[in-house]
Amino acid sequence: MTTHIGAEKGEIAEKILLPGDPLRAKYIAENFLDDPVCYNEVRGMYGYTGTYKGERISVQGTGMGVPSISIYVNELIEGYGVKQLIRVGSCGALQNDVKVRDVILASTSTTDSQMNRMVFGGIDFAPAADFNLLKNAYEAGTEKGLKLRVGNVFTSDSFYRDNAMDLFKQLADYNVLAVEMETTALYTLAAKHGCQALSVLTVSDHILTGEETTSEERQTTFNEMIEVALEAAIQE
Ligand SMILES: O=P(O)(O)O[C@H]1O[C@H](CO)[C@@H](O)[C@H]1O
Ligand SMILES: O=c1cc[nH]c(=O)[nH]1
């Protein structure tokens, strides 16, 4: 057991999906994994292990934001030997040609979080997705007929930010596709520990137009994102 995860050693697979919402972890386990077993309920942050197409896969809620996902990623890697981590999250679109329900693969991330500047003594580390995972996810999505977007996402410490529009427009001018709250931490910690990481994100709302998905639409698109992530996970 680690501080925030109640699993015994060996109960968590080397490959794991990481939704922010613990109920999304439960949904993924119950609808996509065979024989799922719940290994964690500490803080209601559900974690399950099952199989997908015969391969052992876990899914663990991370909570929202850099501090929360950092706790789970650290404990999963250092405490349980997890090697491959795929975030399955939601995000807000920053580009006119990125639409609600689109699925984005984050090749890198920009951030307002101080985490990396603290760690690297003020320099800007460039967090990057694992290329093989990114390639596998892109191919899996393309085979399913999805038009995946690949690019830079903004990992923000703030969901409710005063006067956010100027910053969002500037980021859009610099080709940042969307905003979310965890990818920078995931990629940086994975790099530190020699693990593979990728964020697969569904656009749940549009920052520029205010458009939002209905809960039913979110469900359908989340399913596509989850399938892309699972198919990427089981490739070599
Ligand atoms: O849907 P999840 O994975 O939680 O991701 C997004 O949703 C939360 C904000 O509502 C943040 O965690 C953000 O990154
Ligand atoms: O606008 C959004 C949507 C999802 N997640 C975020 O962090 N922001």
Side-chain angles (χ1 to χ4, degrees), residues 2-7 12 16-22 39-47 59-82 85 182 185-186 189-190 193:
T2 57
T3 308
H4 302 90
I5 302 175
I12 303 180
I16 196 161
L17 264 50
L18 301 175
D21 181 354
Y39 64 73
N40 190 54
E41 289 187 343
V42 177
R43 290 177 178 250
M45 203 60 77
Y46 296 122
V59 53
Q60 169 69 54
T62 65
M64 292 181 274
V66 162
S68 188
I69 193 171
S70 298
I71 286 172
Y72 290 97
V73 168
N74 267 305
E75 293 185 19
L76 288 167
I77 294 173
E78 293 189 5
Y80 295 97
V82 170
L85 308 97
E182 292 84 14
L186 172 64
L189 290 169
H193 293 282

Coordinates of all heavy atoms in Angstrom, one line a residue, residues 2-7 12 16-22 39-47 59-82 85 182 185-186 189-190 193:
T2 N 0.4 2.3 -0.7 CA 1.1 3.6 -0.6 C 0.1 4.6 0.1 O -1.0 4.2 0.5 CB 1.4 4.1 -2.0 OG1 0.2 4.2 -2.8 CG2 2.4 3.2 -2.8
T3 N 0.5 5.8 0.3 CA -0.3 6.7 1.1 C -1.7 6.9 0.6 O -2.6 7.0 1.3 CB 0.4 8.1 1.1 OG1 1.8 7.9 1.5 CG2 -0.2 9.0 2.1
H4 N -1.8 6.9 -0.8 CA -3.2 7.2 -1.3 C -3.8 6.1 -2.1 O -4.8 6.2 -2.7 CB -3.1 8.5 -2.2 CG -2.6 9.7 -1.5 ND1 -1.2 10.0 -1.4 CD2 -3.2 10.6 -0.8 CE1 -1.1 11.1 -0.7 NE2 -2.3 11.5 -0.3
I5 N -3.1 5.0 -2.2 CA -3.6 3.8 -3.0 C -3.5 2.6 -2.1 O -2.5 2.2 -1.6 CB -2.8 3.6 -4.3 CG1 -2.8 4.8 -5.2 CG2 -3.3 2.4 -5.1 CD1 -1.9 4.8 -6.4
G6 N -4.7 1.9 -1.9 CA -4.7 0.8 -1.0 C -4.5 -0.6 -1.6 O -4.8 -1.6 -1.0
A7 N -3.9 -0.6 -2.8 CA -3.7 -1.9 -3.4 C -2.5 -2.7 -2.9 O -1.6 -2.0 -2.4 CB -3.5 -1.7 -4.9
I12 N -1.8 -4.0 -9.4 CA -2.0 -3.0 -10.5 C -1.1 -3.4 -11.7 O 0.0 -3.8 -11.5 CB -1.5 -1.6 -9.9 CG1 -2.4 -1.3 -8.7 CG2 -1.7 -0.6 -11.0 CD1 -2.1 0.1 -8.1
I16 N -1.7 1.4 -17.5 CA -2.8 2.0 -16.8 C -3.4 3.2 -17.5 O -2.7 4.0 -18.2 CB -2.4 2.4 -15.4 CG1 -3.6 2.6 -14.5 CG2 -1.5 3.6 -15.4 CD1 -3.2 2.6 -13.0
L17 N -4.8 3.3 -17.5 CA -5.5 4.5 -18.0 C -5.8 5.4 -16.8 O -6.1 4.9 -15.7 CB -6.8 4.0 -18.6 CG -6.8 3.8 -20.2 CD1 -5.7 3.0 -20.6 CD2 -8.1 3.3 -20.7
L18 N -5.7 6.7 -17.0 CA -5.8 7.7 -15.9 C -6.9 8.7 -16.3 O -6.5 9.8 -16.8 CB -4.5 8.3 -15.7 CG -3.3 7.4 -15.3 CD1 -2.0 8.3 -15.2 CD2 -3.5 6.7 -14.0
P19 N -8.1 8.5 -15.9 CA -9.1 9.6 -16.0 C -9.0 10.5 -14.8 O -8.7 10.0 -13.7 CB -10.4 8.9 -16.1 CG -10.2 7.6 -15.3 CD -8.7 7.2 -15.4
G20 N -9.4 11.8 -14.9 CA -9.4 12.6 -13.8 C -10.5 12.2 -12.8 O -10.4 12.2 -11.6
D21 N -11.7 11.9 -13.4 CA -12.9 11.6 -12.7 C -12.9 10.1 -12.2 O -12.8 9.2 -13.1 CB -14.1 11.9 -13.6 CG -15.4 11.6 -12.9 OD1 -15.4 11.1 -11.8 OD2 -16.4 11.9 -13.6
P22 N -12.9 9.8 -10.9 CA -12.9 8.4 -10.5 C -14.1 7.6 -11.0 O -14.0 6.4 -11.2 CB -12.9 8.5 -8.9 CG -13.3 9.9 -8.6 CD -12.9 10.8 -9.8
Y39 N -9.3 -2.3 -6.8 CA -8.2 -2.4 -5.9 C -8.1 -1.1 -5.0 O -7.3 -1.1 -4.0 CB -6.8 -2.6 -6.6 CG -6.4 -1.5 -7.5 CD1 -5.9 -0.3 -7.0 CD2 -6.5 -1.7 -8.9 CE1 -5.5 0.7 -7.9 CE2 -6.1 -0.6 -9.7 CZ -5.6 0.5 -9.2 OH -5.3 1.6 -10.0
N40 N -8.8 -0.1 -5.3 CA -8.6 1.1 -4.5 C -9.9 1.9 -4.4 O -10.6 2.1 -5.3 CB -7.6 2.1 -5.1 CG -7.3 3.2 -4.2 OD1 -6.9 3.0 -3.0 ND2 -7.5 4.5 -4.6
E41 N -10.2 2.2 -3.1 CA -11.4 3.1 -2.8 C -10.9 4.3 -1.9 O -11.7 5.1 -1.4 CB -12.5 2.4 -2.1 CG -13.2 1.4 -3.1 CD -14.4 0.8 -2.5 OE1 -14.5 0.8 -1.2 OE2 -15.2 0.2 -3.2
V42 N -9.6 4.4 -1.6 CA -9.1 5.4 -0.7 C -9.5 6.8 -1.3 O -9.3 7.0 -2.5 CB -7.6 5.3 -0.6 CG1 -7.0 6.5 0.3 CG2 -7.2 4.0 0.0
R43 N -10.1 7.6 -0.5 CA -10.6 9.0 -0.9 C -11.6 8.9 -2.1 O -11.8 9.8 -2.8 CB -9.5 9.9 -1.4 CG -8.6 10.3 -0.2 CD -7.4 11.2 -0.6 NE -6.7 11.6 0.5 CZ -6.6 12.9 1.0 NH1 -7.3 13.8 0.3 NH2 -5.9 13.1 2.0
G44 N -12.2 7.7 -2.3 CA -13.2 7.6 -3.4 C -12.5 7.6 -4.7 O -13.2 7.8 -5.8
M45 N -11.2 7.5 -4.8 CA -10.4 7.6 -6.0 C -10.3 6.2 -6.6 O -9.2 5.5 -6.4 CB -9.1 8.3 -5.8 CG -8.5 8.9 -7.0 SD -9.6 10.2 -7.7 CE -9.3 11.5 -6.6
Y46 N -11.3 5.7 -7.2 CA -11.4 4.3 -7.6 C -10.3 3.9 -8.6 O -9.9 4.6 -9.5 CB -12.7 4.0 -8.4 CG -13.9 4.2 -7.5 CD1 -14.9 5.1 -7.9 CD2 -14.1 3.5 -6.3 CE1 -16.0 5.3 -7.1 CE2 -15.2 3.6 -5.5 CZ -16.2 4.5 -5.9 OH -17.3 4.7 -5.1
G47 N -9.8 2.6 -8.3 CA -8.8 2.0 -9.2 C -9.2 0.5 -9.4 O -9.7 -0.1 -8.5
V59 N -7.1 0.9 -14.4 CA -7.6 2.2 -14.6 C -7.7 2.9 -13.3 O -8.2 2.3 -12.3 CB -8.9 2.2 -15.5 CG1 -9.9 1.3 -14.8 CG2 -9.5 3.6 -15.6
Q60 N -7.2 4.1 -13.2 CA -7.1 4.8 -11.9 C -7.5 6.2 -12.0 O -6.9 6.9 -12.8 CB -5.7 4.7 -11.3 CG -5.4 5.5 -10.1 CD -6.1 5.0 -8.9 OE1 -5.9 3.8 -8.5 NE2 -6.8 5.9 -8.2
G61 N -8.5 6.7 -11.2 CA -8.8 8.1 -11.1 C -7.6 8.9 -10.5 O -6.9 8.3 -9.7
T62 N -7.5 10.1 -11.0 CA -6.3 10.9 -10.6 C -6.7 12.2 -9.8 O -5.9 12.9 -9.3 CB -5.4 11.4 -11.7 OG1 -6.2 12.2 -12.6 CG2 -4.9 10.2 -12.5
G63 N -8.1 12.5 -9.9 CA -8.5 13.8 -9.4 C -8.0 14.9 -10.4 O -7.5 14.6 -11.5
M64 N -8.3 16.1 -10.0 CA -8.1 17.3 -10.9 C -6.9 18.1 -10.6 O -6.6 18.4 -9.4 CB -9.3 18.2 -10.9 CG -10.5 17.5 -11.5 SD -12.0 18.7 -11.5 CE -12.6 18.3 -9.8
G65 N -6.1 18.4 -11.6 CA -4.9 19.3 -11.4 C -3.6 18.6 -11.2 O -3.5 17.4 -10.9
V66 N -2.6 19.4 -11.4 CA -1.2 18.9 -11.3 C -0.8 18.3 -9.9 O -0.3 17.2 -9.9 CB -0.2 20.1 -11.7 CG1 1.2 19.8 -11.2 CG2 -0.3 20.3 -13.2
P67 N -1.1 18.9 -8.8 CA -0.8 18.3 -7.5 C -1.4 16.9 -7.4 O -0.8 16.0 -6.9 CB -1.3 19.3 -6.5 CG -1.3 20.6 -7.2 CD -1.7 20.3 -8.6
S68 N -2.7 16.8 -7.7 CA -3.4 15.5 -7.5 C -2.9 14.4 -8.4 O -2.5 13.3 -8.0 CB -4.9 15.7 -7.7 OG -5.6 14.6 -7.3
I69 N -2.8 14.7 -9.7 CA -2.3 13.6 -10.6 C -0.8 13.3 -10.3 O -0.4 12.1 -10.3 CB -2.4 14.0 -12.1 CG1 -2.2 12.7 -13.0 CG2 -1.4 15.1 -12.6 CD1 -2.5 12.8 -14.4
S70 N 0.0 14.2 -9.8 CA 1.3 14.0 -9.4 C 1.4 12.9 -8.3 O 2.3 12.1 -8.3 CB 2.1 15.2 -9.0 OG 2.1 16.2 -10.0
I71 N 0.5 13.0 -7.3 CA 0.5 12.1 -6.2 C 0.3 10.7 -6.8 O 1.0 9.7 -6.5 CB -0.6 12.4 -5.2 CG1 -0.2 13.7 -4.4 CG2 -0.9 11.3 -4.3 CD1 -1.3 14.2 -3.5
Y72 N -0.8 10.5 -7.6 CA -1.1 9.2 -8.1 C 0.0 8.6 -9.1 O 0.3 7.5 -9.0 CB -2.5 9.2 -8.8 CG -3.5 9.4 -7.8 CD1 -4.1 10.6 -7.5 CD2 -3.9 8.3 -6.9 CE1 -5.0 10.8 -6.5 CE2 -4.8 8.5 -5.9 CZ -5.4 9.7 -5.7 OH -6.3 9.9 -4.7
V73 N 0.5 9.5 -9.9 CA 1.6 9.0 -10.9 C 2.8 8.6 -10.1 O 3.4 7.5 -10.3 CB 1.9 10.0 -11.9 CG1 3.1 9.7 -12.7 CG2 0.7 10.2 -12.9
N74 N 3.2 9.4 -9.1 CA 4.4 9.0 -8.3 C 4.2 7.6 -7.6 O 5.0 6.8 -7.7 CB 4.6 10.0 -7.2 CG 5.6 11.1 -7.7 OD1 6.7 10.8 -8.1 ND2 5.2 12.4 -7.6
E75 N 3.0 7.5 -7.0 CA 2.8 6.2 -6.2 C 2.6 5.0 -7.2 O 3.0 3.9 -6.9 CB 1.6 6.4 -5.3 CG 1.9 7.4 -4.2 CD 0.8 7.6 -3.2 OE1 -0.1 6.7 -3.0 OE2 0.8 8.7 -2.5
L76 N 2.0 5.3 -8.3 CA 1.8 4.2 -9.3 C 3.2 3.7 -9.8 O 3.4 2.5 -9.9 CB 0.9 4.6 -10.5 CG -0.6 4.8 -10.1 CD1 -1.3 5.5 -11.2 CD2 -1.2 3.4 -9.8
I77 N 4.1 4.6 -10.1 CA 5.4 4.2 -10.7 C 6.3 3.7 -9.6 O 6.8 2.6 -9.7 CB 6.0 5.5 -11.4 CG1 5.2 5.9 -12.6 CG2 7.4 5.1 -11.8 CD1 5.6 7.1 -13.3
E78 N 6.4 4.5 -8.5 CA 7.4 4.1 -7.5 C 6.9 2.9 -6.6 O 7.7 2.1 -6.1 CB 7.8 5.3 -6.6 CG 8.5 6.3 -7.4 CD 9.1 7.5 -6.6 OE1 9.0 7.4 -5.3 OE2 9.7 8.4 -7.1
G79 N 5.6 2.9 -6.3 CA 5.1 1.9 -5.4 C 4.6 0.6 -6.1 O 4.6 -0.4 -5.4
Y80 N 4.2 0.7 -7.3 CA 3.6 -0.4 -8.0 C 4.3 -0.8 -9.3 O 3.8 -1.7 -10.0 CB 2.1 -0.2 -8.2 CG 1.3 0.0 -6.9 CD1 1.1 1.2 -6.4 CD2 0.9 -1.1 -6.2 CE1 0.4 1.4 -5.2 CE2 0.2 -1.0 -5.0 CZ 0.0 0.2 -4.5 OH -0.7 0.4 -3.3
G81 N 5.3 -0.1 -9.7 CA 6.0 -0.5 -10.9 C 5.3 -0.3 -12.2 O 5.6 -0.9 -13.2
V82 N 4.3 0.7 -12.2 CA 3.6 1.0 -13.5 C 4.6 1.6 -14.5 O 5.5 2.4 -14.2 CB 2.4 1.9 -13.2 CG1 1.8 2.4 -14.5 CG2 1.4 1.2 -12.4
L85 N 1.5 4.9 -18.9 CA 0.3 5.6 -18.3 C -0.3 6.5 -19.4 O 0.3 7.3 -20.1 CB 0.8 6.6 -17.2 CG 1.7 5.9 -16.1 CD1 3.2 6.1 -16.4 CD2 1.4 6.5 -14.7
E182 N -3.7 18.5 -16.4 CA -2.8 17.5 -15.8 C -1.6 17.1 -16.7 O -0.6 16.5 -16.2 CB -3.6 16.2 -15.5 CG -4.6 16.3 -14.4 CD -5.9 16.9 -14.8 OE1 -6.2 16.9 -16.0 OE2 -6.7 17.3 -13.9
A185 N 2.3 17.5 -15.8 CA 2.8 16.7 -14.7 C 3.0 15.2 -15.1 O 4.0 14.6 -14.8 CB 1.8 16.8 -13.5
L186 N 2.0 14.7 -15.9 CA 2.1 13.3 -16.3 C 3.4 13.1 -17.1 O 4.2 12.1 -16.9 CB 0.9 12.9 -17.1 CG 0.9 11.5 -17.8 CD1 1.0 10.4 -16.8 CD2 -0.3 11.4 -18.6
L189 N 6.8 13.5 -15.1 CA 7.1 12.4 -14.1 C 7.4 11.1 -14.9 O 8.3 10.4 -14.5 CB 5.9 12.2 -13.2 CG 5.7 13.3 -12.2 CD1 4.4 13.2 -11.4 CD2 6.9 13.3 -11.2
A190 N 6.7 10.9 -16.0 CA 7.0 9.7 -16.8 C 8.5 9.8 -17.4 O 9.2 8.8 -17.3 CB 6.0 9.6 -18.0
H193 N 11.1 8.9 -14.7 CA 11.1 7.5 -14.3 C 11.3 6.6 -15.5 O 11.2 5.4 -15.4 CB 9.9 7.1 -13.6 CG 9.8 7.8 -12.2 ND1 10.5 7.4 -11.1 CD2 9.1 8.9 -11.8 CE1 10.2 8.2 -10.1 NE2 9.3 9.1 -10.5

